[in-house]
Amino acid sequence: MTRAAPQAGLGWVGIVRLGLVQSAIGAIVMLATSLLNRVMVVEYALPAALPAGLVAWHYAVQLSRPLWGHRSDSGRRRTPWVIGGMAVLACGAMLAVAAVGVVAQSAALGIAVAVLGFSLIGAGVGAAGTSLLAVLATRVAPERRAAAASITWIMMVVGIVVSAGVAGKLIDPFSFARLQLVVDGIAGAAFLLATVAIWGVEAAGGTPRPATLAARVPLRPALAALWADRRARGFTGFVFLSMLAYAMQDLILEPFTGLRFGMTPSQSTQVSGIQHGGVLLGMIVVGLAGGAFDARRGTTLQRWIVGGCIGSALALAGLALAARVGPGWPILANIFALGFANGVFAVAAIGAMMALAGADGEAQAGLRMGVWGAAQAIAFGLGGLTGAVAVDVGRAMLGSLPETFMLVFGAEALLFLIAAAVSIDAPRRAGAIGREVTI
């Protein structure tokens, strides 16, 4: 009987350490996409389009993920790419905050500095995040992938929550000097945490891989070969469609509860907490159930993916009915169910992504993760904008708020159903490959 490849032997301590790196990434990204967004709009009275455009730009920069993944495939270790990406990410966050102070003096110069800062943020997330996922894909045993995906993503959410709480307390009373100090401190601490957490993990998970001929293939031919793989191509379509559907409700859910259910700003803000609570529970369920029952069952992750997508579609169909019914509908329970289903499909998809990325060895694991990361970045960038624009256009054309939200939520539900159909082939084949390797 053949044994699993030696690199797929990372233990639970190593997985948690990689989760700490993910926490550090989430903590810094939160500073740029959430804290700075609020400061620019509220404290500095800048147009809301400015931070929104900067966030969209940082997603656009993440189209470079395949490049970073391909570069990380070429060496014996991915750790330097994780640490280097974290350094770029931290510097980008510090520079983005500095740009806020410059804007007050010179708008053009401040915006230019902000664009540079968010460019570094996008590049840092791409380099560190893609390489980190490649380490997970190639160093975690197949039977632990579902649990590993759950642990790392839960820890990312924890990193975001902790960073938001610490930053929120330390910047009060607000001043630019205090803001700069707090962001610099959190970014620096996150970089140190990630460096300490990742150091030595690859060595613990297996022997260094030799530089291979496949890893030295130029990027364009490598991408062409990857795209010729029907499994990889189908999974890319699934990632894009599912994340597009996921992101479309991001900017419209809280306004929906305020416009249709009369919730106050404070009540609407709690909606996000309820939804994320559901997401966390869904992740935990997949992590526990997948870890307990997924070993030697290659189709289990596929079932979680399909079930999560169908559950998300049903929850969105419920929101469409909520738009028609209005007050009296159990809106909070509906939103919690949406979060739960989102958490289920997201973690299961990450587990399947890890299986498919490492199915053919380490030579192209980084490139595969980069391609799927780029698809996710495009979906996130388009999703929020598409949802918001669809609501505005629908209200202008239909003149009916309920009908507009019914159509938008219905379209999102349809996207999830299409994503579920697209997902059926690639995860099944990836799981089968993983099962063959471990027999």
Side-chain angles (χ1 to χ4, degrees):
M1 295 177 67
T2 60
R3 301 295 298 172
Q7 69 267 24
L10 200 60
W12 294 115
V13 173
I15 291 171
V16 171
R17 289 177 63 182
L18 294 180
L20 288 173
V21 180
Q22 193 79 311
S23 295
I25 293 174
I28 298 179
V29 171
M30 186 286 305
L31 297 174
T33 59
S34 181
L35 179 62
L36 285 185
N37 178 43
R38 181 240 152 74
V39 168
M40 286 183 180
V41 174
V42 178
E43 275 73 21
Y44 284 85
L46 295 172
L50 176 59
L54 291 170
V55 171
W57 172 245
H58 112 281
Y59 280 125
V61 173
Q62 289 185 52
L63 293 178
S64 63
R65 277 179 177 262
L67 172 62
W68 300 122
H70 184 61
R71 293 285 179 86
S72 77
D73 288 335
S74 64
R76 293 170 64 84
R77 295 289 187 197
R78 303 184 196 273
T79 297
W81 291 96
V82 175
I83 296 175
M86 287 300 303
V88 172
L89 175 57
C91 289
M94 296 175 186
L95 190 61
V97 174
V100 176
V102 177
V103 166
Q105 307 299 324
S106 171
L109 180 59
I111 292 174
V113 174
V115 170
L116 176 58
F118 274 82
S119 297
L120 293 178
I121 291 169
V125 170
T130 302
S131 301
L132 178 67
L133 287 173
V135 173
L136 280 166
T138 56
R139 302 285 172 167
V140 175
E143 63 269 19
R144 292 179 175 176
R145 282 172 180 153
S150 180
I151 289 171
T152 52
W153 255 253
I154 288 172
M155 292 183 71
M156 181 182 68
V157 174
V158 171
I160 293 172
V161 171
V162 171
S163 177
V166 171
K169 290 183 178 180
L170 293 181
I171 63 171
D172 189 29
F174 178 82
S175 69
F176 174 73
R178 182 180 289 270
L179 173 67
Q180 185 77 66
L181 182 63
V182 169
V183 171
D184 289 356
I186 293 177
F191 169 74
L192 291 175
L193 173 65
T195 300
V196 172
I198 190 70
W199 198 266
V201 169
E202 279 191 280
T207 57
R209 66 185 189 278
T212 64
L213 179 63
R216 294 195 294 269
V217 174
L219 177 61
R220 185 170 296 180
L223 281 173
L226 175 62
W227 199 247
D229 185 341
R230 187 167 63 92
R231 297 170 303 158
R233 189 170 62 247
F235 198 77
T236 303
F238 160 72
V239 170
F240 176 77
L241 289 170
S242 61
M243 293 304 172
L244 180 66
Y246 179 85
M248 277 183 66
Q249 51 80 29
D250 194 38
L251 298 180
I252 65 174
L253 197 55
E254 289 187 30
F256 168 68
T257 59
L259 292 170
R260 192 70 182 97
F261 288 82
M263 290 188 178
T264 65
S266 176
Q267 292 172 326
S268 291
T269 302
Q270 295 174 13
V271 167
S272 178
I274 292 171
Q275 183 183 12
H276 283 90
V279 169
L280 283 175
L281 181 59
M283 290 179 173
I284 292 170
V285 167
V286 174
L288 293 175
F293 305 114
D294 211 29
R296 313 300 190 270
R297 291 184 62 190
T299 59
T300 302
L301 279 180
Q302 178 197 349
R303 292 168 182 168
W304 284 110
I305 290 171
V306 173
C309 286
I310 292 176
S312 297
L314 291 174
L316 285 164
L319 289 179
L321 288 175
R324 182 176 185 85
V325 174
W329 185 268
I331 185 64
L332 296 182
N334 197 155
I335 291 172
F336 181 84
L338 175 63
F340 177 82
N342 287 167
V344 167
F345 99 80
V347 166
I350 293 162
M353 187 185 300
M354 290 162 56
L356 187 55
D360 298 323
E362 292 203 33
Q364 288 194 330
L367 178 63
R368 288 170 181 254
M369 284 297 186
V371 168
W372 297 324
Q376 176 179 303
I378 296 172
F380 277 162
L382 287 177
L385 179 63
T386 301
V389 170
V391 169
D392 289 340
V393 172
R395 294 180 70 179
M397 294 182 63
L398 300 176
S400 170
L401 181 69
E403 290 184 10
T404 295
F405 278 108
M406 284 180 65
L407 289 175
V408 173
F409 287 136
E412 292 180 54
L414 180 61
L415 278 176
F416 266 118
L417 292 177
I418 296 173
V422 171
S423 75
I424 290 175
D425 185 55
R428 175 179 60 81
R429 290 172 176 260
I433 292 172
R435 185 171 63 248
E436 290 167 1
V437 173
T438 57
I439 290 176

